Amino acid sequence: MSADNSKEIDKISGQLSEKKFKVVETGDSFVLMKKRRYGNVLIQVVCLILAFSVSSLFLIINLVYFTYSYLWASPHVLITTEKVGEDGEKLEFDSMDDVLNKANAIL
């Protein structure tokens, strides 16, 4: 996300903190935030029920799904005042609505 100055960075990060994003890293011109995603609870409950009644293979599937959701599907947000990347190309930014929609996706 784009910000014009450090006050706007603080404002945006405050809004995202209300949506359960946590600050991962901060610097002079940026703040990196992350929201932990644990996966769909319904999928995990079904896998656990199947693991106890049918096969323990479903327990492994549940563990893989949780690990994927926690480590790789958790959304990251970079709030920065930079307008140009290291290679000189103009950076593209998402809006607050786009970020929240991606963060609240089911899977």
Side-chain angles (χ1 to χ4, degrees):
M1 295 183 66
S2 176
D4 294 327
N5 52 38
S6 61
K7 289 182 182 180
E8 191 171 345
I9 288 176
D10 293 339
K11 177 185 163 197
I12 293 171
S13 64
Q15 291 172 345
L16 289 174
S17 293
E18 293 173 1
K19 302 292 182 181
K20 303 200 185 212
F21 279 83
K22 304 288 182 200
V23 175
V24 175
E25 190 175 343
T26 185
D28 293 336
S29 62
F30 73 94
V31 172
L32 180 63
M33 300 183 83
K34 182 176 186 173
K35 181 176 182 180
R36 291 290 183 189
R37 185 177 288 169
Y38 302 105
N40 189 329
V41 176
L42 181 62
I43 292 173
Q44 291 183 3
V45 168
V46 169
C47 282
L48 287 175
I49 290 171
L50 290 172
F52 292 128
S53 62
V54 178
S55 171
S56 62
L57 176 65
F58 288 101
L59 190 60
I60 295 170
I61 292 170
N62 190 25
L63 182 64
V64 168
Y65 174 68
F66 174 81
T67 304
Y68 167 76
S69 296
Y70 188 76
L71 296 178
W72 294 288
S74 295
H76 289 75
V77 177
L78 177 66
I79 307 164
T80 183
T81 57
E82 303 282 329
K83 303 293 184 203
V84 179
E86 291 178 357
D87 55 357
E89 291 185 23
K90 194 172 185 175
L91 298 176
E92 295 180 21
F93 298 102
D94 289 335
S95 68
M96 180 70 81
D97 292 333
D98 294 337
V99 169
L100 294 177
N101 286 339
K102 291 176 185 176
N104 294 327
I106 297 287
L107 297 173

